Amino acid sequence: MTRSSWKAEPAGPRSVAIVGPYGSGKSVLFEALLGAAGVPAKRGHASSGRTMSSELRLGHCNFMDEPWSIIDCPGSVEFAYEAAAALAAVDFAIVVCEPSPDRLANLPILLKQIEELSLPHLILFNKIDAFAGQIRDTVTALQPHSKLPLVLRQMPIRENDAVTGYVDVASERAYRYCAQDSELVGLPNDMREGEQQALAGLTEVLADHDDALLEKVLEDVVPSQDEIFATLHKDQASGTIVQVLIGAGQRGHGILRLWKALRHDVPPASVTARRRGIEPSEQPLVQIFKTVQAGQAYAGKLSYARIWRGSLRDGASLGGSRVGGLYRFASGEPVRVQAAQAGELIAIGRLENVTTGAILGPAGKANLPFPEPLPPVYAFSIAAKDRKDDVKLSGALHKIVEEDPSLVIEQNRATGETLLQGQGEIHLNVTLERLANVYNCQINVAAPKVAYKETIKKRVTQHSRLKHQTGGHGQFADVVLEIAPRARGAGFAFVDKIVGGAVPRQYIPAVGEAAEEAMQKGPSGYPMVDVEVTLTEGSFHAVDSSDMAFRIATRNGITEALPKADPVLLEPIEHVTISVPNRFTASAQRLLTGRRGQILGYREREGWPGWDDVEALMPGAELHDLILQLRADTQGLGSYTHRFDHLAETRGKLGEKAR
Ligand SMILES: Nc1nc2c(ncn2[C@@H]2O[C@H](COP(=O)(O)OP(=O)(O)OP(=O)(O)O)[C@@H](O)[C@H]2O)c(=O)[nH]1
Ligand SMILES: [Mg+2]
């Protein structure tokens, strides 16, 4: 694609997502971009006083008569799903990060996601006002994490330790930041050499993709500025290079320059649609990238959608549902509109039975990838404070998972708990706040219980007789039970060895059922596993025996026998795989061994150059807060998955307490 191929047509609505590490200034930048377009944005932060974004925010504006949809994404890894969903919906990404090499955090993961979507993007080194280092060092540190060449487009001008402006490398001009914009000034003498080097670097990168330019570079002919600009725009728009800009959102510095880059370099929606294999048609094609259940300013559910093709009207039918309202967002408030068209991100009201990720309309051969939620890494056990609210809570949980697919609700059968599982402590706390504030659910929270089990190590024979005379007819049953350990994982078994009718046939199922029931609680109160109960002998009474009598006799017998059968506690051992950049591999190993983990080994993480997977067997009791320590040890980058592996005997009193 060449620049002229799309510049000839009017651009139409376009969309960008602002992504980047947490705290890099994305929300402030979002507000500054909208503000520069005449839409003052106000923050809808929760009463918690947190400034950290916990979900994506959609804004709309017109800049120089062109319509834009902008998404402010949260940066924390705990809310990574929101950013991944936004990236799937837009034409372009602004990657915001602080210019210091040690603040790049999850940037490599984000760049990988963006590259997998072939999404054109630029990098904005923000908070340049607070940066004293060399910008080119940061570009060098970042380059190995980007498959595409990073092209430094602006360099800061410093006066008395403050950044007062920038040099535009391509045009070789210097600008001084002023209130809303920047004004042209003379190129400072001490920057000439650095600027020339940067320009040479830029030209070389561009020449890699452009034969005419390459020829000139090889022949030492200086290409014209027009030529450089044309190639720069073409490469940026088609996503073969990544421009690096600088700015300070809070001061409004670099905002108009960023707008200029967006106007020039964000491809029109039609180009994105073509790249995704969407065939032209009149029929609308829409993808839902977020669901909000309890909108306050509008009744009910809102589905945030990318319109990939066609146009939408309020009230129209869409993939079997009716469009119950179309909303754009100005200054954080939803504004109802009658119609929206391809390229827009729009909120659609009351799309029943439509969930996040859904594609509505004939997609044909289109490739519209949407992120899978990451497996949960942190869990709370939750319960309604008042049992009366159980039904309300389960309804609220259902809705909250629909809003946020990176949450998982699990009924743990082994412990009887309801588990709220998600991406970390803040993620779950934000969810609990929503449950309280939006759904009015008061909840008790605890760390999840560990699913301990019990078994026995010794075979014992137990005689148990029930003889009860109450007034008229009594209760009688008599059994001899052999209780023996089975192999690990073999489960429970009941064996009937009665001969000659010592216990009549009709009572034997009752003995088997009672034996199995007695396994629900061992001497320490946990479920018993891997035990065999054999009925070897017994006797009965023609009148007083009954199913109930045999049940009671069996249960009493087993309760008496288990403590004599050398009972032991079994703890779940999980197979854990920790993924980390390989500079943290040793630290991940230490973390696992420090938590009674047995390291199985490590290998390169598939598809993740520079990352390792460390595998270990580790007690389940150590898992609950593993992610907190792992993130603390790895600058927030490490993650893990786990699956149950086996039960292991533990002699000491409960592993979790021993720690
Ligand atoms: N020095 C300086 N600080 C800034 C600038 N922009 C934002 N900040 C500060 O950086 C902090 C984080 O800003 P936010 O905009 O909330 O950051 P964010 O990237 O949205 O953070 P998350 O949503 O948590 O990922 C705030 O304390 C801002 O005051 C800037 O241009 N210069
Ligand atoms: Mg934010």
Side-chain angles (χ1 to χ4, degrees):
M1 186 198 61
T2 63
R3 183 180 172 219
S4 56
S5 72
W6 58 263
K7 268 295 162 181
E9 25 182 301
R14 289 179 280 176
S15 62
V16 295
I18 306 177
V19 295
Y22 69 94
S24 53
K26 297 177 294 299
S27 296
V28 169
L29 183 78
F30 171 81
E31 285 149 23
L33 279 172
L34 290 174
V39 183
K42 69 168 187 278
R43 277 207 200 197
H45 278 312
S47 52
S48 63
R50 246 182 238 116
T51 61
M52 170 188 258
S53 306
S54 58
E55 58 180 338
L56 64 82
R57 195 160 49 132
L58 185 52
H60 292 94
C61 66
N62 279 311
F63 187 79
M64 297 184 80
D65 291 334
E66 288 178 330
W68 290 88
S69 308
I70 309 180
I71 311 180
D72 171 26
C73 297
S76 159
V77 288
E78 301 194 23
F79 305 106
Y81 183 75
E82 295 276 312
L87 288 171
V90 293
D91 300 304
F92 193 87
I94 305 170
V95 182
V96 179
C97 63
E98 290 175 58
S100 160
D102 59 5
R103 299 282 299 158
L104 301 178
N106 60 335
L107 207 56
I109 301 177
L110 267 174
L111 289 178
K112 195 167 157 38
Q113 280 175 356
I114 293 171
E115 283 162 8
E116 278 165 8
L117 287 165
S118 306
L119 193 64
H121 56 287
L122 61 76
I123 292 177
L124 179 81
F125 283 139
N126 194 23
K127 303 194 188 180
I128 198 72
D129 54 327
F131 179 61
Q134 289 296 327
I135 201 85
R136 285 166 69 181
D137 293 348
T138 316
V139 175
T140 308
L142 196 53
Q143 182 61 72
H145 301 294
S146 171
K147 279 205 178 118
L148 301 172
L150 305 181
V151 175
L152 183 61
R153 181 67 201 275
Q154 294 173 300
M155 297 169 73
I157 299 175
R158 290 203 171 83
E159 286 171 76
N160 303 326
D161 287 343
V163 175
T164 55
Y166 65 91
V167 172
D168 181 334
V169 172
S171 69
E172 300 180 79
R173 286 179 171 171
Y175 295 84
R176 182 194 302 279
Y177 290 131
C178 50
Q180 287 302 317
D181 200 354
S182 47
E183 59 192 18
L184 197 58
V185 292
L187 189 69
N189 274 333
D190 60 349
M191 289 192 71
R192 268 179 210 287
E193 197 186 327
E195 192 278 333
Q196 285 301 313
Q197 279 174 8
L199 178 60
L202 184 149
T203 313
E204 222 162 273
V205 170
L206 297 182
D208 273 351
H209 301 278
D210 189 297
D211 287 347
L213 210 57
L214 181 63
E215 225 164 274
K216 292 199 169 153
V217 169
L218 293 177
E219 287 168 8
D220 276 338
V221 178
V222 179
S224 73
Q225 257 179 20
D226 280 353
E227 235 176 327
I228 291 197
F229 274 117
T231 320
L232 197 60
H233 290 313
K234 175 179 64 108
D235 288 357
Q236 175 67 74
S238 61
T240 51
I241 60 161
V242 178
Q243 284 191 81
V244 178
L245 304 181
I246 62 173
Q250 206 163 42
R251 294 167 184 256
H253 292 170
I255 298 300
L256 286 179
R257 183 61 195 81
L258 178 59
W259 261 125
K260 195 172 166 196
L262 297 178
R263 291 189 70 230
H264 275 275
D265 298 334
V266 175
S270 56
V271 170
T272 314
R274 217 175 301 145
R275 198 179 63 240
R276 298 294 182 83
I278 295 169
E279 289 151 17
S281 151
E282 287 301 303
Q283 284 178 294
L285 180 64
V286 157
Q287 187 174 30
I288 309 300
F289 63 93
K290 181 175 174 68
T291 304
V292 178
Q293 276 293 351
Q296 278 146 5
Y298 29 82
K301 170 170 153 178
L302 277 188
S303 305
Y304 289 21
R306 159 81 193 217
I307 307 178
W308 284 113
R309 184 183 60 207
S311 54
L312 283 185
R313 292 203 73 79
D314 193 358
S317 146
L318 178 63
S321 299
R322 195 181 149 276
V323 173
L326 288 171
Y327 303 86
R328 294 198 190 103
F329 291 88
S331 304
E333 301 294 331
V335 178
R336 197 155 179 173
V337 295
Q338 286 310 307
Q341 53 169 316
E344 281 195 71
L345 308 177
I346 196 94
I348 307 177
R350 298 202 192 86
L351 280 185
E352 300 311 329
N353 305 320
V354 171
T355 52
T356 302
I359 293 169
L360 307 173
K365 294 198 188 79
N367 173 26
L368 298 174
F370 199 74
E372 286 291 321
L374 294 166
V377 290
Y378 194 67
F380 283 145
S381 158
I382 57 167
K385 276 203 171 127
D386 188 336
R387 295 281 325 249
K388 285 207 305 286
D389 291 341
D390 278 356
V391 174
K392 185 165 89 177
L393 176 60
S394 75
L397 289 175
H398 180 78
K399 288 193 162 175
I400 215 147
V401 172
E402 206 184 326
E403 286 184 90
D404 181 354
S406 68
L407 287 169
V408 176
I409 309 293
E410 186 194 304
Q411 299 297 334
N412 188 319
R413 277 197 294 162
T415 61
E417 294 176 308
T418 300
L419 297 182
L420 174 66
Q421 303 174 307
Q423 305 301 321
E425 209 174 14
I426 306 169
H427 183 213
L428 294 192
N429 282 331
V430 166
T431 304
L432 291 171
E433 273 169 30
R434 282 182 67 74
L435 283 168
N437 300 338
V438 181
Y439 295 94
N440 197 21
C441 290
Q442 304 307 318
I443 295 171
N444 284 329
V445 179
K449 287 184 192 146
V450 176
Y452 290 106
K453 301 272 161 62
E454 293 182 61
T455 192
I456 52 170
K457 303 206 38 156
K458 214 172 82 187
R459 173 186 292 262
V460 291
T461 303
Q462 182 71 41
H463 181 202
S464 175
R465 168 180 283 227
L466 176 80
K467 193 173 177 194
H468 206 57
Q469 205 63 49
T470 48
H473 113 95
Q475 294 283 353
F476 180 89
D478 182 87
V479 290
V480 177
L481 302 167
E482 222 174 77
I483 295 156
R486 297 187 83 199
R488 191 66 57 247
F492 171 80
F494 173 69
V495 183
D496 162 28
K497 282 201 181 154
I498 293 294
V499 284
V503 174
R505 288 283 104 207
Q506 75 260 33
Y507 299 133
I508 291 177
V511 174
E513 283 161 24
E516 193 163 3
E517 272 165 36
M519 295 298 134
Q520 282 170 7
K521 253 187 191 176
S524 296
Y526 296 106
M528 299 287 303
V529 294
D530 306 336
V531 174
E532 181 176 274
V533 175
T534 310
L535 176 63
T536 54
E537 280 178 67
S539 61
F540 72 104
H541 185 280
V543 179
D544 290 349
S545 281
S546 64
D547 269 1
M548 210 228 304
F550 273 97
R551 272 181 209 280
I552 296 171
T554 304
R555 200 168 60 217
N556 291 349
I558 290 176
T559 307
E560 210 179 320
L562 288 177
K564 296 183 281 188
D566 197 5
V568 284
L569 204 60
L570 295 175
E571 66 173 341
I573 303 294
E574 301 278 327
H575 184 122
V576 178
T577 306
I578 288 187
S579 303
V580 284
N582 54 24
R583 65 184 185 279
F584 297 119
T585 303
S587 139
Q589 287 171 325
R590 275 196 302 279
L591 176 62
L592 287 163
T593 46
R595 289 176 176 245
R596 300 190 286 141
Q598 177 201 336
I599 306 279
L600 300 174
Y602 71 93
R603 54 190 153 74
E604 268 179 35
R605 184 179 188 190
E606 223 182 293
W608 288 71
W611 283 59
D612 280 339
D613 279 342
V614 183
E615 290 184 55
L617 293 174
M618 198 182 86
E622 306 282 344
L623 214 54
H624 169 58
D625 58 357
L626 178 71
I627 191 67
L628 306 186
Q629 190 64 45
L630 177 60
R631 288 193 177 137
D633 290 355
T634 60
Q635 294 170 2
L637 294 173
S639 63
Y640 78 93
T641 56
H642 69 109
R643 61 179 155 79
F644 172 76
D645 194 80
H646 66 280
L647 287 168
E649 273 178 38
T650 161
R651 279 290 174 182
K653 188 61 191 154
L654 304 193
E656 61 184 335
K657 291 187 183 146
R659 236 171 12 111

